[in-house]
């Protein structure tokens, strides 16, 4: 199949990239990024793009499925407006272009607690993104809702590292829904869902990825 991956440089996106390149079911992988990827592979194409000005006529929008792992934090983005631009606006721009070119399946990393009516800004934006994606007419839409994502981040602070280590230690004692979701498991869930392309909207909750 021909797969389109957005967010290939992030903690989950890197895992999707590695797994997709190793997966015999994926014949071609297109991963548009803002900066060059360090990875090269015969079936990988990685065009450089600006997400504020995506190339609407690029032929690589026409794929069998899209996996979107674009995302940031309010702290890293610098403001709520910038956070929403990445997690909502960029994701919707990608989805609209892929759908306009006939791509039938879309899978995205959302968040446990995503709700457009949430009083918490982060979960409200995630919920609005999910709701807006549902209006675009994809034959298959997968919403992966992890809790705390486990994986190496360049900007991970010491306090976050300690918290993640404690949760990992307590993992066997916690309900599955409260355990860390390792990034390789999130990536596998997204990849399998995108390739399978099950009709309708599917939610993969954190317990399924723990």
């Amino acid at each position: 199949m021909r797969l389109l991956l957005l967010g290939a440089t992030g903690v989950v996106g890197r895992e999707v990239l590695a797994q997709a390149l190793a997966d015999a079911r994926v014949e071609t992988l297109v991963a548009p990024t803002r900066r060059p990827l360090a990875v090269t592979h015969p079936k990988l194409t990685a065009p450089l793009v600006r997400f504020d000005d995506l190339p609407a006529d690029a032929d690589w929008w026409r794929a069998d499925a899209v996996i979107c792992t674009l995302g940031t934090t309010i702290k890293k983005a610098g403001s709520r407006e910038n956070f929403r631009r990445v997690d909502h606006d960029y994701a919707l721009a990608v989805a609209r272009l892929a759908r306009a070119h006939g791509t039938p399946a879309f899978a995205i990393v959302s968040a446990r607690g995503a709700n457009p009516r949430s009083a918490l800004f982060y979960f409200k934006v995630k919920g609005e993104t999910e709701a807006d994606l549902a209006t675009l007419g994809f034959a298959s839409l997968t919403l992966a809702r992890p809790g705390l994502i486990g994986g190496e981040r360049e900007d991970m602070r010491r306090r976050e590292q300690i918290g993640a280590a404690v949760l990992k230690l307590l993992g066997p004692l916690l309900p599955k829904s409260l355990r860390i979701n390792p990034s390789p498991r999130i990536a596998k869930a997204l990849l399998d869902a995108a390739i399978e392309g099950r009709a309708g909207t599917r939610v993969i909750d954190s317990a399924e990825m723990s």
Side-chain angles (χ1 to χ4, degrees), residues 108-156:
I108 188 170
V109 178
S110 183
R112 186 181 67 211
N115 187 328
R117 293 178 296 279
S118 176
L120 299 176
F121 181 76
Y122 177 85
F123 297 117
K124 178 180 173 66
V125 170
K126 292 292 188 181
E128 289 174 343
T129 302
E130 290 186 357
D132 289 342
L133 287 171
T135 69
L136 299 183
F138 285 103
S140 174
L141 176 62
T142 299
L143 309 170
R145 294 176 178 169
L148 180 62
I149 298 174
E152 293 297 322
R153 295 177 178 81
E154 296 177 358
D155 58 346
M156 197 170 188

Side-chain angles (χ1 to χ4, degrees), residues 24-183:
R25 297 173 295 177
V26 179
E27 182 178 1
T28 303
L29 178 63
V30 181
T33 55
R34 290 185 298 110
R35 58 181 187 272
L37 289 176
V39 178
T40 58
H41 192 280
K43 65 182 180 183
L44 173 65
T45 301
L48 295 180
V49 299
R50 291 187 299 120
F51 284 94
D52 287 312
D53 187 25
L54 289 167
D57 58 349
D59 62 358
W60 40 257
W61 290 115
R62 187 176 293 104
D64 295 303
V66 176
I67 295 178
C68 182
T69 63
L70 291 171
T72 187
T73 63
I74 296 175
K75 180 179 177 60
K76 188 174 181 179
S79 69
R80 288 187 170 193
E81 291 74 17
N82 288 339
F83 169 79
R84 193 176 197 281
R85 181 179 299 115
V86 174
D87 282 57
H88 177 275
D89 298 353
Y90 288 172
L92 263 293
V94 164
R96 289 190 180 106
L97 286 169
R99 189 70 199 99
H101 283 77
T103 298
F106 193 91
I108 188 170
V109 178
S110 183
R112 186 181 67 211
N115 187 328
R117 293 178 296 279
S118 176
L120 299 176
F121 181 76
Y122 177 85
F123 297 117
K124 178 180 173 66
V125 170
K126 292 292 188 181
E128 289 174 343
T129 302
E130 290 186 357
D132 289 342
L133 287 171
T135 69
L136 299 183
F138 285 103
S140 174
L141 176 62
T142 299
L143 309 170
R145 294 176 178 169
L148 180 62
I149 298 174
E152 293 297 322
R153 295 177 178 81
E154 296 177 358
D155 58 346
M156 197 170 188
R157 294 170 295 178
R158 180 63 177 168
R159 184 170 58 186
E160 293 172 328
Q161 292 174 332
I162 293 172
V166 171
L167 282 177
K168 184 176 181 180
L169 183 65
L170 295 176
L173 304 177
L174 296 172
K176 282 189 174 182
S177 61
L178 298 180
R179 296 176 189 175
I180 290 177
N181 294 138
S183 54

